[in-house]
Amino acid sequence: MTMMIGPNCVVSISYKLTNDQGEVLDASPEGETLTYLHGAAGIIPGLEKELTGKTAGDDYKAVITPEDGYGEYRPELIQQVPSDQFPNADQLQVGMQLTGQSENGPIVATVKDIAENIVTVDLNHPLAGMTLHFEGSIADVREATEEEISHGHVH
Ligand code: ZN
């Protein structure tokens, strides 16, 4: 029986992500797939929407606005932080991405500027404000187990 992608499906996809200029920003490694639980906010809403109703073997292509992707770019998320709040401030470099934990889950901060005692970081997601072009194919669709559904992720 062919299974259509919907809530509580475990889906494996290959993907290539490009920006408006056609530059490749990310891609699944050759022969590998990304596996996620559909309907559990494991991937961005726009891509989930595009994949709904498709089946294993289908190809997909989607143009996703920031609203359905990683959100609009918010200038207020550029913040100045005293460098003594970084455990390894002397190793920071402009362009570096730092990962950390906030009350609302994992965050990525990009170092924008380093001045005496002050580090400017950008807390926007690196793909915020961008229109995303996804394409790939669906390798597998299966029903999630009870445990996977209750945990909200794939085992
Ligand atoms: Zn689990």
Side-chain angles (χ1 to χ4, degrees):
M1 197 189 85
T2 309
M3 192 162 180
M4 291 206 311
I5 296 175
N8 300 331
C9 286
V10 171
V11 184
S12 299
I13 56 168
S14 66
Y15 67 93
K16 187 170 86 171
L17 167 62
T18 51
N19 62 14
D20 277 337
Q21 287 73 43
E23 291 168 299
V24 178
L25 304 175
D26 193 14
S28 47
E30 187 70 39
E32 286 180 36
T33 54
L34 168 79
T35 300
Y36 74 96
L37 177 61
H38 199 83
I43 61 170
I44 55 171
L47 189 54
E48 197 159 81
K49 223 180 285 175
E50 178 65 28
L51 294 171
T52 300
K54 291 192 161 37
T55 61
D58 283 352
D59 291 330
Y60 69 90
K61 210 168 184 170
V63 179
I64 297 167
T65 61
E67 191 185 20
D68 281 334
Y70 291 95
E72 297 292 348
Y73 189 85
R74 292 162 58 199
E76 70 271 22
L77 291 180
I78 295 178
Q79 293 178 3
Q80 299 198 311
V81 182
S83 48
D84 59 14
Q85 292 195 17
F86 296 89
N88 47 359
D90 53 333
Q91 286 164 34
L92 294 177
Q93 284 172 19
V94 172
M96 207 178 239
Q97 285 185 350
L98 312 170
T99 51
Q101 287 292 330
S102 77
E103 287 159 23
N104 303 315
I107 51 164
V108 179
T110 307
V111 178
K112 284 285 180 199
D113 188 55
I114 302 169
E116 204 178 338
N117 302 325
I118 293 286
V119 179
T120 305
V121 293
D122 185 351
L123 297 175
N124 282 287
H125 188 282
L127 299 176
M130 290 176 61
T131 298
L132 307 171
H133 302 254
F134 274 97
E135 61 177 285
S137 58
I138 296 148
D140 189 50
V141 183
R142 68 165 169 87
E143 233 175 297
T145 64
E146 294 283 333
E147 201 186 12
E148 286 172 323
I149 293 166
S150 71
H151 286 200
H153 57 233
V154 173
H155 286 167

